[in-house]
Amino acid sequence: MATFEKHCEASQREFGNPYPEIHRWLDEFHGVEPYMTRHRKLRHHAAGVKQAIEIFGDYAEKVAMQHIIIDLKEEGWTESDRFPLDKFDYESMGLW
């Protein structure tokens, strides 16, 4: 699983800022019952990106997408796969 540090380092390299607030928000439910490691279904999709933009501003779109794509790739997703739309789509794609 990509660590908080790995996400921040990737953002620093790509965008010149680690954006810890966005990474913390995306992974807020990691380790929290009942989600634990299945927290990604809550915000790791297009609806989560939209929420991040509403909370943090337009700059959050690229940062959230980068974070989510790093995590999706760990689950076997490839860039030729469609990007999950929301929690239900995420689950229907067999992601966790």
Side-chain angles (χ1 to χ4, degrees), residues 3-66:
T3 64
F4 172 75
E5 291 78 17
K6 180 179 176 180
H7 285 299
C8 288
E9 288 168 8
S11 291
Q12 181 68 47
R13 276 192 312 276
E14 179 92 12
F15 310 116
N17 189 316
Y19 296 108
E21 67 281 4
I22 296 172
H23 299 299
R24 280 191 190 99
W25 179 82
L26 283 164
D27 288 339
E28 179 178 359
F29 296 100
H30 178 261
V32 176
E33 292 287 349
Y35 305 108
M36 306 306 285
T37 57
R38 297 190 182 263
H39 72 284
R40 292 177 177 169
K41 67 182 175 181
L42 298 176
R43 294 181 175 161
H44 286 56
H45 41 63
V49 172
K50 183 179 177 191
Q51 261 189 301
I53 293 166
E54 291 170 0
I55 294 168
F56 300 104
D58 290 339
Y59 73 93
E61 180 177 14
K62 289 181 181 180
V63 179
M65 288 292 293
Q66 178 194 54

Side-chain angles (χ1 to χ4, degrees), residues 52-96:
I53 293 166
E54 291 170 0
I55 294 168
F56 300 104
D58 290 339
Y59 73 93
E61 180 177 14
K62 289 181 181 180
V63 179
M65 288 292 293
Q66 178 194 54
H67 178 118
I68 294 167
I69 288 170
I70 288 170
D71 286 352
L72 286 174
K73 285 180 176 179
E74 289 184 349
E75 296 182 34
W77 179 89
T78 67
E79 295 200 30
S80 63
D81 295 326
R82 66 185 172 78
F83 194 77
L85 300 174
D86 57 25
K87 173 186 174 183
F88 304 105
D89 194 35
Y90 191 94
E91 292 173 332
S92 76
M93 292 172 70
L95 300 167
W96 64 282

